[in-house]
Amino acid sequence: MEEEQVFIFDFGSQYTRLIAKAVRELGVRCRVVPAQSSAERIRRSLPRGLVLSGGPESVYEKNAPQLDPAIYDLKIPILAICYGLQRVAADRGGQVVRGRGGEYGLSTLQLAEPDPIFAGLEPQEPVWMSHGDQLKLLPPGFRSLARSAGVPYAAIRSSDGLIYGLQFHPEVAQTPKGKTIFANWLRDICRIKGQRQPGATLEGRIGALRRQLEGRRALMAFSGGVDSASAAALTQRAIGSRLLPVFVDSGLLRQGDRQRAEQVAAHLGLKLAVVEAQERFFAALSGLSDPEDKRKAVGEAFIRAFEAEARRLEEREGPIEILIQGTIYSDVIESAGAPGARRIKSHHNVGGLPEQLGLKIVEPLRDLFKDEVRQLALKLGIPEEIIWEQPFPGPGLAVRILGPVTPERVALLRQADAILRQEIKRAKLDREIWQYFAVLLPGRSVAIRGDGRGYGEIVALRAVSSREGMTADWYPLPHETLTQISSRLTNELDQITRVVYDITAKPPATIEWE
Ligand code: XMP
């Protein structure tokens, strides 16, 4: 059966993934594709609609990203957002210019005439704008459907009704009726009925995975986080004990991480192999201070430890053909979208290992967003504290120790971090703050030791609010919580004599210190 799907042309907007999310939440399949995809390739897949994303460039600049002009001949409905609208306008004979000061933030959409795409909207609606350029001259055959305070062409439509352009962003939460606009476009313009995807139910997913794996043996790196636990639980239900999850203890984990992973594995009935690799990791890190060198060393050590275990398991269990990865949809977009975007799941992405071991990669969560993974995890019986756990970087505490990483410094940071976590939990802020942790700084600071002076370690506290980690703001911990953390750190851990609080947003800072 031909599947109804929509393609999203990625012009590099930070919101592209939100477009995908909005479409998928309406039950419609979609794929994010490079903006330069050829019309020929698109035609073969018969999508029912094309969304053109926003993007950071200006259409009048020399290297501005283009669209294959033959795309317009396909006669597939197009919804062009922000840069997408400007791209269409420039391609079809309109004029785009740099606006005076641009329009950023909340604005009001004023509808000029009723249109099916705006069914259910009031004559005036709040929308989110983020553009420096604007459409000055409509292309021939287009009309304006709405204006805003800043621009006369906040929404446009071609006379055949196939192309819609929106200067605002319907995909962000700050445009409250954005979802309605997408729903109208998918239903009334693309003529998609809206259907839940096959395999969206738990049983459907398990069945599909069972057919895909056909009882073959599968290896996986299990960290105990919500993604790997969900991928493992699904696969276990599909192929039972032919799933061979491996937990690598790098010695760089937080207090309780390993025990928790073991408990979850036991709870899910997984046959977990635990690899003691602490010495291997500390040896690899020895003498390194540069953050990139440290990341590389940890990645390498992980691959070597995992590989050794894989060979051992093959000898014991028989041939292994599959590598299960807990990659989720945002990881897929992250690595396929903007060039140079960092691969976030560096520790799950076990490098050239699949080829070396002759393994085929299967990613059971590849089409799910984080919140969908969490819903699935609930259905799979994964404990709540795992489901709401904050993100933890693959290289572990190594990126939270500035300068050399030694077993002693890791032990100190682990204790400091545990104190911070206990106090945040006690203050009942653990579900409210997106991410919080302690960082051990390089160098020392002067301290009072008995009657004399000494030098002690410095710990920085980081707490941030964020939606997906792309941007973040520092979280204002209550005064008394900060006081309690500071006094516990310096009283319970002799070496620590100074505690500082990080009050920078991302950007310009990152969340991790490294
Ligand atoms: P930054 O520090 O770049 O981090 O603002 C953004 C988010 O990503 C997490 N992070 C990682 N996660 N492997 C991961 O799985 C990594 O190598 C890695 N580095 C950073 C970070 O904790 C934050 O949530």
Side-chain angles (χ1 to χ4, degrees):
M1 191 189 78
E2 173 203 326
E3 243 183 315
E4 297 181 315
Q5 61 171 342
V6 162
F7 278 19
I8 299 167
F9 283 61
D10 184 11
F11 282 105
S13 163
Q14 54 174 335
Y15 302 139
T16 301
R17 65 162 78 175
L18 297 179
I19 302 176
K21 185 167 195 240
V23 171
R24 297 196 51 244
E25 280 175 359
L26 289 161
V28 175
R29 277 185 66 88
C30 69
R31 258 165 66 187
V32 177
V33 298
Q36 280 74 28
S37 303
S38 77
E40 191 42 42
R41 198 189 135 203
I42 301 301
R43 200 178 52 79
R44 268 183 267 134
S45 311
L46 291 172
R48 302 293 289 266
L50 309 175
V51 183
L52 312 186
S53 84
E57 255 92 13
S58 291
V59 288
Y60 46 75
E61 271 163 15
K62 216 169 69 214
N63 295 323
Q66 304 287 330
L67 194 66
D68 177 353
I71 296 274
Y72 297 113
D73 303 330
L74 297 176
K75 301 287 175 213
I76 298 172
I78 292 177
L79 180 64
I81 298 171
C82 199
Y83 179 89
L85 167 143
Q86 294 164 8
R87 180 73 272 155
V88 169
D91 290 348
R92 310 305 295 257
Q95 197 190 358
V96 176
V97 297
R98 188 180 301 281
R100 248 178 288 125
E103 195 179 18
Y104 299 94
L106 268 189
S107 181
T108 304
L109 186 74
Q110 297 167 26
L111 298 185
E113 57 178 283
D115 188 280
I117 200 171
F118 293 135
L121 269 69
E122 300 297 325
Q124 303 210 342
E125 287 284 353
V127 293
W128 186 256
M129 290 281 189
S130 178
H131 62 104
D133 296 338
Q134 66 178 66
L135 182 55
K136 186 171 171 216
L137 199 66
L138 270 180
F142 278 74
R143 65 196 296 150
S144 172
L145 299 176
R147 55 175 299 117
S148 74
V151 289
Y153 308 121
I156 62 171
R157 193 193 67 201
S158 63
S159 52
D160 59 6
L162 279 176
I163 304 179
Y164 281 85
L166 306 176
Q167 184 58 72
F168 58 93
H169 290 275
E171 68 275 27
V172 304
Q174 293 91 335
T175 300
K177 288 284 174 67
K179 233 359 195 331
T180 310
I181 297 173
F182 278 116
N184 291 340
W185 180 72
L186 291 166
R187 190 188 53 234
D188 299 329
I189 316 296
C190 304
R191 306 263 166 226
I192 295 176
K193 281 173 214 75
Q195 51 183 28
R196 252 344 262 178
Q197 297 149 45
T201 64
L202 184 56
E203 291 316 316
R205 276 186 184 276
I206 294 168
L209 200 53
R210 187 176 295 132
R211 286 188 293 280
Q212 191 181 3
L213 299 179
E214 287 177 321
R216 286 177 287 180
R217 271 184 213 89
L219 196 63
M220 88 169 280
F222 181 83
S223 71
V226 64
D227 301 346
S228 73
S230 303
L234 265 181
T235 313
Q236 199 265 357
R237 296 235 197 143
I239 60 167
S241 60
R242 284 176 178 264
L243 172 68
L244 304 168
V246 174
F247 179 88
V248 175
D249 188 340
S250 62
L252 301 167
L253 300 170
R254 292 163 300 185
Q255 198 173 83
D257 277 351
R258 171 170 167 173
Q259 290 81 337
R260 221 192 31 183
E262 287 174 329
Q263 281 163 8
V264 181
H267 173 79
L268 295 172
L270 301 174
K271 197 162 69 175
L272 186 66
V274 176
V275 184
E276 305 286 352
Q278 299 90 332
E279 281 178 22
R280 185 194 286 272
F281 280 80
F282 283 117
L285 282 163
S286 163
L288 302 182
S289 288
D290 178 79
E292 271 314 305
D293 292 347
K294 289 199 280 187
R295 274 183 176 273
K296 255 194 231 124
V298 172
E300 268 293 311
F302 187 88
I303 290 177
R304 295 283 90 83
F306 192 76
E307 188 181 21
E309 183 63 16
R311 300 219 186 278
R312 203 184 64 81
L313 285 171
E314 270 212 310
E315 266 172 34
R316 200 181 72 194
E317 308 273 337
I320 301 172
E321 293 171 62
I322 309 285
L323 181 70
I324 301 286
Q325 290 197 326
T327 323
I328 70 171
Y329 196 57
S330 44
D331 305 328
V332 178
I333 300 181
E334 204 118 4
S335 45
R342 173 165 54 160
R343 263 203 89 97
I344 293 284
K345 286 282 151 88
S346 51
H347 73 313
H348 286 161
N349 169 27
V350 274
L353 195 62
E355 296 91 71
Q356 283 167 37
L357 293 174
L359 298 177
K360 190 171 157 273
I361 294 180
V362 170
E363 299 171 313
L365 310 177
R366 200 185 153 82
D367 60 330
L368 296 178
F369 278 97
K370 193 77 180 186
D371 46 356
E372 294 169 323
V373 173
R374 290 191 168 125
Q375 283 166 21
L376 184 77
L378 267 177
K379 289 191 206 148
L380 287 163
I382 290 168
E384 288 247 343
E385 76 259 25
I386 304 275
I387 296 180
W388 296 106
E389 170 68 359
Q390 56 179 311
F392 184 61
L397 297 179
V399 296
R400 295 179 180 172
I401 293 178
L402 274 61
V405 180
T406 60
E408 296 73 32
R409 302 202 88 213
V410 171
L412 180 63
L413 176 63
R414 185 178 290 130
Q415 287 173 288
D417 188 67
I419 289 176
L420 168 71
R421 288 204 285 161
Q422 284 158 14
E423 290 305 322
I424 294 213
K425 191 152 195 188
R426 197 208 304 267
K428 298 202 172 23
L429 292 170
D430 49 327
R431 283 282 283 273
E432 150 114 15
I433 307 175
W434 199 72
Q435 207 172 2
Y436 47 89
F437 51 86
V439 182
L440 193 55
L441 302 198
R444 290 173 176 243
S445 159
V446 71
I448 302 162
R449 292 238 189 261
D451 290 336
R453 281 154 72 89
Y455 286 95
E457 300 273 8
I458 314 163
V459 163
L461 310 177
R462 182 82 162 136
V464 294
S465 46
S466 175
R467 281 181 73 176
E468 307 232 5
M470 314 276 282
T471 60
D473 204 356
W474 66 278
Y475 184 92
L477 280 176
H479 191 285
E480 55 280 20
T481 309
L482 284 171
T483 308
Q484 177 69 7
I485 293 168
S486 166
S487 77
R488 278 195 63 193
L489 286 174
T490 47
N491 286 335
E492 294 174 32
L493 303 171
D494 274 351
Q495 305 98 305
I496 296 175
T497 53
R498 196 172 294 268
V499 180
V500 298
Y501 191 32
D502 182 350
I503 53 165
T504 27
K506 169 182 179 175
T510 52
I511 295 176
E512 301 290 344
W513 277 48
E514 315 221 8

